[in-house]
Amino acid sequence: MDPESEGPPITTVTPLQQMFASCTGAILTSLMVTPFDVVKIRLQAQNNPFPKGKCFLYSNGLMDHLCVCEEEGNKAWYKKPGRFQGTLDAFLKIIRNEGIKSLWSGLPPTLVMAVPATVIYFTCYDQLTALLRSKLGENESRIPIVAGIMARLGAVTVISPLELIRTKMQSKKFSYEELHRFVSKKVSEDGWISLWRGWAPTILRDVPFSAMYWYNYEVLKKWLCAKSGLYEPTFMINFTSGALSGSFAAVVTLPFDVVKTQKQTQLWIYESQKISMPLQMSTWSIMKNIVAQNGFSGLFTGLIPRLIKIAPACAVMISTYEFGKSFFQKQNAQRQQY
C-alpha cells in the first residue's frame, strides 16, 4: 500500500478514489464468500439452547419444527430433526433440501451492507494511517493497530443494524414480509436501539480482528517486498499477505463470532413464537454456557467454513483494493505530467 521511505514517491490517491477502489472488491468478495457464511451461521445457530416445556421454533438449518414440549409421551407429531455433521454435510443438506440458491440467502442485505461498510472501513483506515504517519513517522509499528481499531469501530457502529438483519436471513429461511414484521415489532417495543443487538460481541470480534489483520498484513507485506527486492508490493504479495493475516485473525476471534451469532439468532426464535425473552446474558456468560454444553470446541463451531471464507475474502478484497488504488495512482500521475 505504502512504499518504503527510501523508495520512489507515489502520487496521492484521493478519498473518493479510495471509495471507488473498495467497492469492486466488496461486491466480488460478497458474491464469493456468502455460501460459506451461510453454512457457518447454520452450524453455529443449531447449537442454540431452547426452553423445555414451552412452544418454540427449532431449526436445524433445513426446516423448522414447531414443538409443544420435549417431555416424554408427546410423540404424536414431533420428530426430532437431524443435525449437521460438519461443513460438507451442511453444504449437501442445504442444497438438497432448499436448493442451491439458499447458499446465497441474505445476499441482498449483504451487498447493501458490504459496500458502505467497506467504503467506510478501508477509506478511514487509509486516511487515519496517512494522518498518523505524518505525525509519528513512516516506520511507527503501532499505526496499523490504531488505525485498524478506529476504522473498524466506526464501520461496525454504522452497519450493525444491517448485520443483524443479514444474520437473521441466513440463520433460517423466511420471507421478507416476516422480516419486516419482526423488525417493525422490535423497533416499536424496544426502540431503535434494539437493532444494535449483538453490537458488543461484534466489536469484541471485529476490533481485535482488525488490529491483528492490519498489523500482520503490513509486516508481511514489507517482509515479502524486502525478500523480493521491491519498493512496492505486487498483486501476489498483497494477495498472500491478506490471506495469511486474515486466517490468523479469524481463528483467534472465532469464539466472539459464535457468541454474536447466538445472541442475534435467539432473538428471532423467541420473538417469532411470542416467548418471553430471558434476562440479557453477557458475552462471557454465553461463552461459559457454550463450553458447559458443547465443550471448549463449541467456541470454535464453524471454524472450517470461517477459514474457507476469510482467507480468500481477505486476499481478494485487499489485493483488489490495492490494485484499484494503483490504477488511480497511475491516472493521477499521468494528469500531473500534462
Side-chain angles (χ1 to χ4, degrees), residues 37-51 56-65 70 78 80-91 93-94 98 167 170-172 257-266 268-269 290 293-294 297-298 300-303 305:
D37 208 23
V38 169
V39 170
K40 174 183 68 70
I41 288 176
R42 298 288 181 93
L43 286 168
Q44 292 173 354
Q46 76 177 353
N47 290 326
N48 265 328
F50 297 95
F56 61 87
L57 188 69
Y58 182 88
S59 173
N60 68 348
L62 304 178
M63 60 182 70
D64 294 329
H65 301 262
E70 287 186 295
Y78 170 63
K80 186 176 180 180
R83 291 170 61 85
F84 296 130
Q85 301 302 315
T87 302
L88 181 60
D89 183 55
F91 267 111
K93 285 181 178 177
I94 290 172
E98 300 179 29
T167 303
Q170 292 181 334
S171 64
K172 50 173 57 78
D257 186 56
V258 174
V259 171
K260 177 193 73 71
T261 300
Q262 290 214 8
K263 271 193 170 185
Q264 292 182 335
T265 55
Q266 74 180 357
W268 167 259
I269 293 167
I290 292 172
Q293 293 180 11
N294 303 303
S297 61
F300 292 88
T301 303
L303 174 61

Side-chain angles (χ1 to χ4, degrees), residues 98-136:
E98 300 179 29
I100 194 169
K101 289 183 180 179
S102 292
L103 290 176
W104 281 269
S105 59
L107 180 60
T110 296
L111 289 174
V112 171
M113 179 181 68
V115 172
T118 304
V119 166
I120 294 170
Y121 183 39
F122 278 81
T123 304
C124 285
Y125 174 80
D126 268 349
Q127 291 299 307
L128 286 168
T129 298
L131 177 63
L132 291 171
R133 281 177 174 164
S134 68
K135 302 291 185 181
L136 303 177

Side-chain angles (χ1 to χ4, degrees), residues 65-80:
H65 301 262
L66 183 63
C67 309
V68 175
C69 68
E70 287 186 295
E71 299 171 0
E72 282 190 48
N74 182 29
K75 300 178 180 178
W77 54 271
Y78 170 63
K79 182 180 180 181
K80 186 176 180 180

Side-chain angles (χ1 to χ4, degrees), residues 235-250:
F235 182 90
M236 283 308 300
I237 286 177
N238 290 328
F239 190 94
T240 303
S241 301
L244 292 176
S245 57
S247 297
F248 175 77

Side-chain angles (χ1 to χ4, degrees), residues 44-332:
Q44 292 173 354
Q46 76 177 353
N47 290 326
N48 265 328
F50 297 95
K52 294 185 179 181
K54 296 182 180 180
C55 290
F56 61 87
L57 188 69
Y58 182 88
S59 173
N60 68 348
L62 304 178
M63 60 182 70
D64 294 329
H65 301 262
L66 183 63
C67 309
V68 175
C69 68
E70 287 186 295
E71 299 171 0
E72 282 190 48
N74 182 29
K75 300 178 180 178
W77 54 271
Y78 170 63
K79 182 180 180 181
K80 186 176 180 180
R83 291 170 61 85
F84 296 130
Q85 301 302 315
T87 302
L88 181 60
D89 183 55
F91 267 111
L92 295 176
K93 285 181 178 177
I94 290 172
I95 294 173
R96 183 171 65 246
N97 291 273
E98 300 179 29
I100 194 169
K101 289 183 180 179
S102 292
L103 290 176
W104 281 269
S105 59
L107 180 60
T110 296
L111 289 174
V112 171
M113 179 181 68
V115 172
T118 304
V119 166
I120 294 170
Y121 183 39
F122 278 81
T123 304
C124 285
Y125 174 80
D126 268 349
Q127 291 299 307
L128 286 168
T129 298
L131 177 63
L132 291 171
R133 281 177 174 164
S134 68
K135 302 291 185 181
L136 303 177
E138 289 286 331
N139 297 320
E140 174 55 58
S141 61
R142 293 169 294 179
I143 288 176
I145 298 175
V146 176
I149 289 174
M150 297 297 292
R152 200 60 186 172
L153 273 171
V156 168
T157 302
V158 172
I159 301 302
S160 191
L162 285 174
E163 169 78 3
L164 172 63
I165 293 172
R166 180 182 71 95
T167 303
K168 291 293 173 297
M169 294 186 71
Q170 292 181 334
S171 64
K172 50 173 57 78
K173 193 175 182 179
F174 59 94
S175 66
Y176 284 97
E177 184 180 352
E178 289 176 296
L179 177 64
H180 180 265
R181 288 200 302 266
F182 165 73
V183 173
S184 298
K185 183 178 179 182
K186 285 306 299 176
V187 171
S188 64
E189 291 180 352
D190 303 324
W192 288 99
I193 195 66
S194 63
L195 296 181
W196 275 264
R197 182 181 178 86
W199 180 86
T202 301
I203 287 294
L204 288 172
R205 177 197 66 178
D206 285 4
V207 169
F209 180 97
S210 184
M212 286 184 285
Y213 171 77
W214 285 111
Y215 177 78
N216 290 324
Y217 171 73
E218 297 290 357
V219 169
L220 282 170
K221 186 175 64 173
K222 287 181 179 180
W223 183 79
L224 290 172
C225 283
K227 286 290 184 180
S228 304
L230 300 172
Y231 287 122
E232 298 177 46
T234 63
F235 182 90
M236 283 308 300
I237 286 177
N238 290 328
F239 190 94
T240 303
S241 301
L244 292 176
S245 57
S247 297
F248 175 77
V251 173
V252 175
T253 59
L254 180 58
F256 297 108
D257 186 56
V258 174
V259 171
K260 177 193 73 71
T261 300
Q262 290 214 8
K263 271 193 170 185
Q264 292 182 335
T265 55
Q266 74 180 357
L267 178 62
W268 167 259
I269 293 167
Y270 283 103
E271 289 297 326
S272 62
Q273 294 303 306
K274 297 181 174 60
I275 300 172
S276 60
M277 284 287 293
L279 293 175
Q280 181 69 17
M281 299 178 67
S282 68
T283 297
W284 305 112
S285 296
I286 293 177
M287 281 188 172
K288 288 178 182 178
N289 286 344
I290 292 172
V291 172
Q293 293 180 11
N294 303 303
F296 186 75
S297 61
L299 293 175
F300 292 88
T301 303
L303 174 61
I304 300 303
R306 180 163 166 82
L307 279 177
I308 294 174
K309 180 190 83 166
I310 291 295
C314 288
V316 170
M317 183 64 235
I318 194 63
S319 55
T320 304
Y321 178 62
E322 298 285 17
F323 180 83
K325 288 200 304 178
S326 177
F327 170 80
F328 284 119
Q329 285 171 351
K330 292 176 182 177
Q331 294 294 313
N332 293 343

